[in-house]
Each structure stands twice: as C-alpha cells, then as structure tokens.
Amino acid sequence: MNEHQRHVKAREDILKNGAPEKRIFVHMEDLEAKKKRQDEVKLERERRNARMDVLKDAKTPWFCPECDKVMKKRLDDKMYRLHNHCFDCQVKFENKLRIDGKYEEWEEKKVLNNQLSYIKDQINSIDDWKDETSKPLEVFDQVGVQDIELHTEKWSQNKEKVEEMSNEALEELNKMKEDVEEKLNSFEI
Ligand SMILES: [Zn+2]
C-alpha cells in the first residue's frame, strides 16, 4: 500500500465508522527518518571516499623510491600504490622470487591478504548495519497508548532478528578471518 492508498483508505474508514487507522502517521515519519539517516550515511561515505582519493593521488611521487627512475607510465602509478615502487622494480622483484623459488608462496600470500581485507570489510559493514538497525525509533507522534505497545513489541522482535542474523554472519566471518590469518602466519617471506 503506498501513501496515497493509505490516505484513501483512511478517508474511507472515517466515512464508514469515524475511526481511521492511527498508525499511518507513524509509518510515514519512520520512513522519513530512516531515509534521512540513510542519506547522511551515504554522504559521509562519499566524503570519506573523496578524501581517500585525494590521499592516494598525493601519495605517488615523481621518482621511484627504489631505483630513482621517473615514474611516468600508468603502470608505474598502479604498481606504486600496490607495492611502493615502479613497474620495472616490481618485475625485477618477481623475477628474483621466481629464481629463489618463492614466487608461488608470495602470490598465495597476496591472495590471502586480499581475502583478509575483504573479510574485514564485510565484518565492518555488518557492524554498521547492526548499529543502524538497533537505534531506537524517535518518532511516536499521534499514536495511541495501545499502538505504542504494539509498535515497541514489533520493533524488539525485529531487533532480535537483526541481532541473530548479524551474530550468525559475524561468527562465520570471524572463523574465516582466523583461518586466513593462520595461513598467513605460516608463511615467512
Ligand atoms: Zn623502480
């Protein structure tokens, strides 16, 4: 049912027996507050990403810190962000690993580190979601006493569900995190 249909129904209820559904108003306010919070979170994330981009761009120097060569290729830029030296230095580094028979180990470690940062991101986003969802409702305008009780009951059930789902996911992710960390610790490069 959309807002318009809700209003139509409320008018019909008033005409029929003079008692429109009281909770319409709460529902609207609730959605508005939720939307506002989502917008704020989105804005903050955009601001944070913009700051990160600025830092990343500022971080690439003109010369490779390892061989002092001018870093002019697009690949140099990418390599510097990943490995803190130019593309040629990275080729040399990987060749040396191959000669020493350590390349596969190094590559596996790289994959594990990527997994680890992905898992950490997931854990953070679930924590954020849990925080967001567990915030109490602030708007109770125009609600009768009975309605508030109903609303609170519904809300606490929802909160329990969120708690249960996020704890399950977090448990799983933490297990994965431990596994990856354990594998990483077994390497020595
Ligand atoms: Zn270099």
Side-chain angles (χ1 to χ4, degrees), residues 137-157:
L137 285 175
E138 289 134 21
V139 188
F140 289 106
D141 291 10
Q142 308 265 325
V143 189
V145 172
Q146 219 183 347
D147 279 343
I148 289 181
E149 280 164 9
L150 276 175
H151 204 98
T152 314
E153 196 185 321
K154 218 170 129 192
W155 181 249
S156 64
Q157 272 171 11

Side-chain angles (χ1 to χ4, degrees), residues 64 66-67 86 89:
C64 171
E66 213 162 299
C67 68
C86 71
C89 283

